[in-house]
Amino acid sequence: MSEHETVPGQAEPVERVSRWEDYIDIFFSPVALFVRRAQDRVGPPLLTLLGLAMLFYLVLLPANTMVVRSSIPAEQQAQISDNMLRIMTYVGVLTIPVYFAVSVAAAAFLLWLGGRIADLRTDYSRTMLIATYAAFVLLLSQVLGGVLVLIRGEAGLDVVRDLSFGPLRFVGSRDMDPLLMAVLRRFDIFFLWQAALWAIGLKVIYRTSLARAALIAVATWAIFVLPGLVSAAFNFGPAGRGG
């Protein structure tokens, strides 16, 4: 068997642990997690990811209300009633699981495609598993961002700068070049962490070299800048926190 082929059922026996330990290990022991769940179903972690995303959004609803209000141009805020603002905020409860599901599916496809191009026998169900577990770090970004908004308060809130954990936190603003904003957004520490987990998952599950896994992960991370660039080029609004 070549270094990049994996035969289901030949993995070494691993200790059985609860599902909830998986969601801790993704932050502290990702190698052990991917060894343990290499042939597992994607459904349980994906449903947990989407459920937690909705739960955290509701828990941080005051912060999300501030973010929604601050995202509205100043000249339009007077036209937005409290009821309309409340509706706009609650719509996020439905859109955030869609965002996570779409971004995970897109990452899984790019990892699968990158693996095939790199002569790695990837299959979509495994790259979907990798992408799902890696997306849990974005939940942490969601929580930390909301907490920081609550601490900071709404006065002078800049959703570009204050929700970033990368260079945009220091140089970003809503008035900066959208193309530059889209590029700098990809250097958020949580997106970089996510890409590192993609590489670890590929290396462990497909028993390939770290260099090959990292190359696929970096290419996937870079391609995720394209939606933001397209959005900026056609003035569809600021790039989102995709990835």
Side-chain angles (χ1 to χ4, degrees), residues 170-220:
F170 306 100
V171 301
S173 75
R174 285 177 289 188
D175 300 324
M176 76 181 302
D177 186 321
L179 294 175
L180 178 60
M181 184 192 304
V183 173
L184 292 180
R185 195 181 297 276
R186 293 306 301 158
F187 289 89
D188 187 298
I189 188 173
F190 288 98
F191 292 150
L192 296 173
W193 190 355
Q194 181 187 37
L197 291 173
W198 292 336
I200 292 171
L202 290 171
K203 180 181 185 299
V204 170
I205 291 179
Y206 290 100
R207 302 178 185 179
T208 189
S209 67
L210 180 58
R212 178 180 293 177
L215 181 62
I216 297 169
V218 169
T220 300

Side-chain angles (χ1 to χ4, degrees), residues 56 60 138-148:
F56 292 154
L60 294 166
L138 301 186
L139 289 180
L140 180 58
S141 172
Q142 177 188 356
V143 172
L144 289 180
V147 170
L148 290 178

Side-chain angles (χ1 to χ4, degrees), residues 4-5 107-124 127 130 198 202-203 206 208 212-220 223:
H4 52 78
E5 294 179 352
F109 173 76
L110 293 173
L111 292 172
W112 170 83
L113 182 61
R116 291 287 171 160
I117 293 173
D119 196 27
L120 203 63
R121 293 188 179 180
T122 49
D123 60 275
Y124 188 76
T127 57
I130 293 169
W198 292 336
L202 290 171
K203 180 181 185 299
Y206 290 100
T208 189
R212 178 180 293 177
L215 181 62
I216 297 169
V218 169
T220 300
I223 291 173

Side-chain angles (χ1 to χ4, degrees), residues 74-177:
E75 62 274 11
Q76 297 180 15
Q77 290 189 11
Q79 305 171 15
I80 304 296
S81 66
D82 290 340
N83 285 337
M84 187 177 298
L85 179 64
R86 192 175 299 110
I87 292 173
M88 292 170 64
T89 304
Y90 275 101
V91 165
V93 179
L94 301 177
T95 59
I96 196 164
V98 174
Y99 151 70
F100 270 95
V102 171
S103 63
V104 165
F109 173 76
L110 293 173
L111 292 172
W112 170 83
L113 182 61
R116 291 287 171 160
I117 293 173
D119 196 27
L120 203 63
R121 293 188 179 180
T122 49
D123 60 275
Y124 188 76
S125 65
R126 296 307 86 200
T127 57
M128 185 71 174
L129 186 76
I130 293 169
T132 297
Y133 277 117
F136 275 85
V137 301
L138 301 186
L139 289 180
L140 180 58
S141 172
Q142 177 188 356
V143 172
L144 289 180
V147 170
L148 290 178
V149 168
L150 290 175
I151 293 173
R152 189 194 186 290
E154 190 172 352
L157 179 66
D158 187 317
V159 293
V160 173
R161 180 187 297 265
D162 295 318
L163 291 181
S164 173
F165 293 94
L168 286 177
R169 192 167 195 87
F170 306 100
V171 301
S173 75
R174 285 177 289 188
D175 300 324
M176 76 181 302
D177 186 321

